[in-house]
Amino acid sequence: MMIKQLTLAASALGLSTVLLSGQAQVLVDPASLLKPLGESWPTYSGDYTGRRFSALKQVNKTTVKNLSLAWIVRLTAGAGAAGGGGGGRGGGGGGSDVIMGGVGTEIAGAGPANVKGAILMVNDVLYVSSPDNVWALDARDGRELWHYVWRTRGGTHIGNRGVAIWNNYLFFETPDDYLVSLDAKTGKERWHVEIADFDEQYFSTPAPIIVGNHVLVGTGNDLDMPGFLQSFDPETGKLQWKFYTVPMNPGDPGLETWPSLDAARHGGGQVWVPGVYDPETKLYIFGTGNPTPGYTGVARKGDNLFTCSLVAVNVDTGKMAWYFQTSAHDTHDWDSAQTPILIDGTINGKPRKLVSTASRNGYFYTVDRVSGEHVVTSKFGTASNWANGLRPTGVVEPNPGKEATIPGSLVSPVEGGVTNWPPAAYSPDTGLFYVHERNGFNIVYLTDPDPRGSMGLGGKTTSGVGAAPSYLTAIDYKTGKAAWRHQFPGVTGGGGSGGILATAGGVLFTGDAGGNFVSFDANTGKPLWHARIGGISNAPETYLLDGLQYVLVAVGDALYAFRLN
Amino acid sequence: MKHVLAALLSLILAVTVRATAQGPPTPPPAGQAPPVQGGRGAGGQAGRGFPAQQKPLADPAVIARGKTLYEISCRSCHGADLRGGDMAGPNLLRSQIALNDNDGESIGEIVRTGRGEMAPFDLPLDSVKAIAAYIRSILATARGQGSPPAGPRVELNVLVGDATAGQAYFAANCSSCHSPTGDLNGLAQRYADPMALQNAWVSGGGGGGRGGRGGGGAAPAGAPSRREVRVTVTLASGEKVEGRLGRIDDFIVTLTQADGTSRSFRRDGDLPRIDIRDPLDAHKKLLLVYTDTDMHNVTAFLATLK
């Protein structure tokens, strides 16, 4: 059914029918990723826009109150998990063999999985991941079809943001810095290639993004290493290009914002969250991480380009078209890596092609996505206290007094930021950008006053000293002002959990601060439905199968699928 | 360890704190902890983590010899702690060459041929290997999230504030609830470490009750603690139910009554009416008000309460 549609669509557009005719059973033609989010979920954000706005409306403001459980499955990471007790715990059997791969000797994190990324839904199959693990599950009941485990050589096993699919092949990244390609139908490995230097302490969490014949791959690092985005050939695994987010050579743009080439080359700016893609300009737009050393900016005076920036790179050449810095000279580990959102909007009566992002530092930005021209800056983290106003360019001027100090600096937000990697959403129906707003304070003490600066995230100690009210916040992209805020009740503070899904049914799905999975009215923020299933660990998604709209979400090792029964 | 400590602290203070960077803050609702999402430090996943640097260490005698050779030939430029020196030698602990070296093959090449401003050293192969072994041994002591190895302890003076100004600030902003001769009498003895003192008073976590650690637990057993969050639920019938707040979200409120029994009520919008009394409310509001100077001054004043 879906394959037919894809073939028809591709033929109608005159796209690569050669490829299709050669592989009749292709699961996801990359050209199909250009379509807006509909019945399936074929890429990290559902589609390239990052909006996480589904056209499905079976579940809507009227019907959502009848949403109920379709199935639960609990995933066990590592080998030895095969059989009904493994992937199929509570989910109706499972029982597939574990397919082993990897270059290392260790099986990490064997036990309950922690799903912190996108789940693809393609051709009635779900593709789920956790560090070193990929599962294929039946989208109707969560039954395990296959389970792949990567033996690791180590690295930081904090999370995996999901797999990517190109034709019949899956791609995922491992904590020990490999890009691995699997046959989507069988889980058998096609190849793996090394994507970063393990000895330099890179570790890789992002979901790759497929654009045409590019596999766009970011990675992460805490040890003062340069950030980069790479493009690989999906057929062969060969590197196509590598874009560094910091100056690496004399004469590189941005070098004037670092005290030395050595500082720039150790300046961070990791690309650890997937970005978005604008097919009209062929620009892949993504956010970059914090500069390093993270808390001790003394040895990297300057704005530290292109860390904490929105960056637009041509997918065919790997060359930067524009940038906009969302946090100049960050000294609080507030990455700007969050997935931005493409908005076709109107500013002062004129149609504009825009990109918006809500940054970990508590500021919201709208930028022209063709030129990078600044449109809006606003503070959405109501307690954020680290800035000294705006520059004429719309860049926020940091207050050096709020850097870590020996007697302590009272700073909001806390290290995790007002928001973080769990993605925001945007509804073209309401014109609102939805994001969790977590407000809190910590005292940041400088513990390493060495004039050479510390390394990584070292040199400081932080102590949380209190929460400020936290919200689900709906921002007007045109003004940056909040159209509404839904405050999470309770005196312990803290904000909602997980990412956000918006739908044409006029509802949002996300986690609140009390372990509830909640549907909110997208116009008003009023809660319409909830189920207390625990803290949401990924971003909710939705798909249509057998004429039924499913809402899928992860809570650690458990996947919950809801529908109107 | 630091992360564990920070996580514990954040639970104790019941605020949004994270010592990690890639995960969002996921404050557990009182009474039940949702799955932890954070943990960028090595091994955020359940189970043990992996060391940041895994290369096998050389024989201790070789490392010791390498240390001596490093002191003689390398220290002046690269620093006693390998983090770079006054003479512009780069930080070896974040050097791609040093991090990739297995047995002197990369470090040795630079030692023997020089690089940039660095002159070549005429050292025999076993000496070069010993220096590389020493550098790797230091790399192996690096801490999580890219932090350098722990250096010698540095005394850091948190007490930089003006105690007199702090006393005036206290009189104006704190004295309606607190007294230097009453509840805060001897406070500085309970918090010998000024950093702990400051964290405690700013958060309001220093007294008895759930938020307290070590301080002023003078309340008799069974009596409501000064730090407890209290809630009154007014039912449609007019009945009022009062107790210690368990948790509250948009859909439920739970409390523990004076006799120790627990009750919960479904919430639907504004019904039933909920009145919460959080003794730390004033502390939380002041977070938006303090300047760092105010904070340091008050800490300096409170440090005099011995």
Side-chain angles (χ1 to χ4, degrees):
Chain A
M1 170 76 177
M2 199 176 95
I3 293 163
K4 263 185 205 158
Q5 283 178 347
L6 293 186
T7 310
L8 286 173
S11 306
L13 293 168
L15 294 172
S16 58
T17 46
V18 176
L19 182 64
L20 288 171
S21 61
Q23 301 178 359
Q25 290 302 305
V26 117
L27 294 173
V28 177
D29 173 7
S32 72
L33 296 174
L34 294 165
K35 296 195 304 185
L37 182 53
E39 298 180 4
S40 62
W41 196 282
T43 184
Y44 177 75
S45 300
D47 63 22
Y48 281 139
T49 66
R51 301 187 304 187
R52 291 180 181 264
F53 176 79
S54 169
L56 301 179
K57 45 171 77 167
Q58 190 176 88
V59 176
N60 56 46
K61 289 185 193 189
T62 308
T63 61
V64 68
K65 66 176 186 291
N66 299 319
L67 201 61
S68 63
L69 192 63
W71 51 260
I72 304 173
V73 66
R74 300 184 69 192
L75 299 172
T76 302
R89 291 198 336 248
S96 66
D97 290 332
V98 175
I99 304 158
M100 298 299 302
V103 300
T105 56
E106 300 290 319
I107 294 173
N114 197 354
V115 176
K116 301 201 286 187
I119 300 169
L120 301 192
M121 201 298 268
V122 170
N123 203 31
D124 307 356
V125 176
L126 301 173
Y127 297 100
V128 192
S129 68
S130 74
D132 298 330
N133 289 262
V134 181
W135 293 265
L137 310 176
D138 188 322
R140 290 189 173 84
D141 68 354
R143 180 175 53 97
E144 183 177 307
L145 303 174
W146 53 257
H147 176 196
Y148 177 90
V149 176
W150 174 262
R151 276 200 184 86
T152 186
R153 48 182 177 167
T156 298
H157 279 62
I158 180 176
N160 183 282
R161 306 298 169 212
V163 305
I165 188 164
W166 177 88
N167 292 317
N168 293 325
Y169 308 126
L170 299 180
F171 305 85
F172 76 101
E173 300 182 34
T174 67
D176 59 353
D177 304 314
Y178 284 91
L179 175 67
V180 184
S181 179
L182 307 178
D183 183 309
K185 287 175 186 163
T186 63
K188 295 216 167 69
E189 185 179 320
R190 298 172 65 217
W191 46 253
H192 58 263
V193 293
E194 193 167 17
I195 56 174
D197 190 316
F198 181 67
D199 287 332
E200 293 168 14
Q201 298 182 23
Y202 285 97
F203 59 94
S204 300
T205 60
I209 298 294
I210 305 290
V211 177
N213 70 333
H214 304 287
V215 188
L216 302 175
V217 169
T219 189
N221 187 294
D222 287 333
L223 176 68
D224 300 4
M225 293 297 155
F228 48 80
L229 176 74
Q230 298 177 97
S231 176
F232 290 89
D233 184 317
E235 194 62 76
T236 64
K238 285 212 173 74
L239 179 68
Q240 294 169 327
W241 50 258
K242 182 173 187 175
F243 168 78
Y244 281 98
T245 62
V246 290
M248 294 295 286
N249 292 296
D252 277 356
L255 186 56
E256 67 284 1
T257 65
W258 297 86
S260 68
L261 186 59
D262 183 68
R265 293 180 66 137
H266 289 92
Q270 305 301 327
V271 186
W272 61 273
V273 183
V276 294
Y277 176 64
D278 181 4
E280 288 181 33
T281 54
K282 304 208 95 181
L283 294 179
Y284 181 71
I285 304 171
F286 59 99
T288 59
N290 59 286
T292 51
Y295 280 83
T296 53
V298 59
R300 53 171 176 84
K301 290 197 164 72
D303 280 358
N304 307 141
L305 292 172
F306 301 92
T307 68
C308 285
S309 298
L310 272 180
V311 174
V313 167
N314 181 292
V315 283
D316 290 329
T317 65
K319 304 284 186 225
M320 183 168 73
W322 57 259
Y323 75 94
F324 181 85
Q325 193 168 37
T326 52
S327 209
H329 188 72
D330 169 72
T331 53
H332 293 97
D333 188 24
W334 292 325
D335 300 277
S336 297
Q338 296 73 33
T339 303
I341 296 181
L342 304 183
I343 296 175
D344 291 335
T346 307
I347 300 285
N348 297 328
K350 286 187 188 154
R352 293 285 294 269
K353 296 195 178 301
L354 305 167
V355 57
S356 291
T357 190
S359 189
R360 186 160 154 174
N361 64 19
Y363 283 78
F364 173 87
Y365 303 86
T366 297
V367 171
D368 185 305
R369 73 170 180 260
V370 179
S371 65
E373 180 200 346
H374 173 258
V375 177
V376 170
T377 301
S378 73
K379 186 167 96 164
F380 78 99
T382 39
S384 295
N385 71 351
W386 57 272
N388 267 345
L390 296 189
R391 299 177 187 170
T393 54
V395 173
V396 181
E397 182 68 41
N399 175 359
K402 285 299 179 186
E403 295 184 10
T405 60
I406 292 168
S409 187
L410 182 63
V411 176
S412 180
V414 298
E415 185 172 13
V418 177
T419 181
N420 204 295
W421 67 265
Y426 170 78
S427 164
D429 292 345
T430 62
L432 297 175
F433 182 108
Y434 303 99
V435 63
H436 279 297
E437 178 190 339
R438 302 181 181 93
N439 297 310
F441 285 84
N442 59 185
I443 305 179
V444 188
Y445 296 94
L446 181 65
T447 57
D448 187 351
D450 193 304
R452 297 170 299 175
S454 185
M455 291 163 51
L457 297 175
K460 60 85 176 65
T461 186
T462 59
S463 181
V465 290
S470 291
Y471 311 89
L472 175 62
T473 298
I475 300 172
D476 180 343
Y477 70 90
K478 297 188 288 294
T479 62
K481 294 203 169 88
W484 53 258
R485 281 187 161 89
H486 178 80
Q487 184 175 348
F488 293 112
V491 293
T492 57
S497 67
I500 301 172
L501 170 70
T503 79
V507 295
L508 310 175
F509 285 94
T510 191
D512 74 358
N516 296 292
F517 182 45
V518 186
S519 179
F520 293 94
D521 185 315
N523 291 94
T524 65
K526 183 186 174 197
L528 300 174
W529 170 91
H530 74 283
R532 191 162 193 253
I533 57 176
I536 305 306
S537 59
N538 76 342
E541 300 177 1
T542 189
Y543 58 88
L544 195 75
L545 189 56
D546 307 321
L548 292 167
Q549 183 183 354
Y550 287 75
V551 177
L552 178 69
V553 70
V555 178
D557 67 330
L559 305 186
Y560 291 81
F562 298 93
R563 69 184 181 212
L564 301 173
N565 283 305
Chain B
M1 187 60 203
K2 220 168 185 177
H3 297 312
V4 175
L5 209 65
L8 280 174
L9 267 174
S10 73
L11 283 171
I12 289 164
L13 298 174
V15 295
T16 310
V17 189
R18 291 173 351 93
T20 61
Q22 280 205 13
T26 308
Q32 183 183 334
V36 172
Q37 295 182 33
R40 183 157 77 170
Q45 188 89 338
R48 69 192 168 77
F50 292 95
Q53 202 264 42
Q54 304 182 352
K55 293 183 188 297
L57 294 184
D59 185 85
V62 174
I63 294 172
R65 179 160 172 265
K67 182 174 193 306
T68 303
L69 293 167
Y70 178 89
E71 302 283 339
I72 294 167
S73 300
C74 320
R75 173 184 168 145
S76 60
C77 284
H78 292 289
D81 58 4
L82 285 67
R83 285 168 56 185
D86 298 337
M87 295 171 68
N91 181 342
L92 296 178
L93 301 184
R94 63 179 200 180
S95 150
Q96 280 100 339
I97 291 155
L99 288 162
N100 276 287
D101 186 82
N102 290 307
D103 189 23
E105 75 282 0
S106 308
I107 293 171
E109 187 181 329
I110 290 177
V111 169
R112 284 179 294 165
T113 61
R115 188 184 205 213
E117 292 174 28
M118 176 174 157
F121 288 76
D122 186 17
L123 288 169
L125 184 63
D126 66 319
S127 298
V128 168
K129 286 190 173 201
I131 291 170
Y134 170 64
I135 293 171
R136 288 199 311 276
S137 76
I138 301 300
L139 286 169
T141 64
R143 294 169 298 166
Q145 299 190 300
S147 298
R153 188 170 170 78
V154 185
E155 281 307 317
L156 300 169
N157 182 20
V158 172
L159 288 176
V160 300
D162 176 341
T164 308
Q167 184 169 18
Y169 191 92
F170 182 94
N173 297 281
C174 315
S175 58
S176 60
C177 295
H178 300 285
S179 159
T181 53
D183 65 324
L184 301 185
N185 188 25
L187 184 69
Q189 285 179 348
R190 303 205 288 271
Y191 294 98
D193 171 18
M195 189 189 285
L197 170 66
Q198 180 162 271
N199 294 339
W201 82 256
V202 174
S203 67
R210 296 195 318 144
R213 51 176 186 142
S225 157
R226 281 195 309 110
R227 302 287 183 227
E228 273 182 12
V229 179
R230 309 292 296 179
V231 61
T232 302
V233 179
T234 306
L235 305 178
S237 63
E239 183 195 352
K240 288 180 190 293
V241 183
E242 206 277 339
R244 174 166 55 83
L245 179 66
R247 71 179 191 90
I248 183 168
D249 59 31
D250 286 315
F251 315 105
I252 195 172
V253 57
T254 71
L255 57 82
T256 304
Q257 300 178 115
D259 64 2
T261 58
S262 167
R263 289 188 72 177
S264 67
F265 301 90
R266 177 173 180 268
R267 298 189 65 209
D268 184 8
D270 295 333
L271 297 174
R273 181 180 158 152
I274 309 286
D275 294 293
I276 292 173
R277 293 174 304 288
D278 178 7
L280 293 181
D281 199 40
H283 277 260
K284 288 174 186 162
K285 291 197 167 116
L286 278 167
L287 291 172
L288 298 155
V289 176
Y290 301 125
T291 66
D292 288 337
T293 303
D294 295 336
M295 182 171 77
H296 300 150
N297 290 347
V298 172
T299 300
F301 166 60
L302 294 177
T304 67
L305 303 180
K306 300 207 163 145

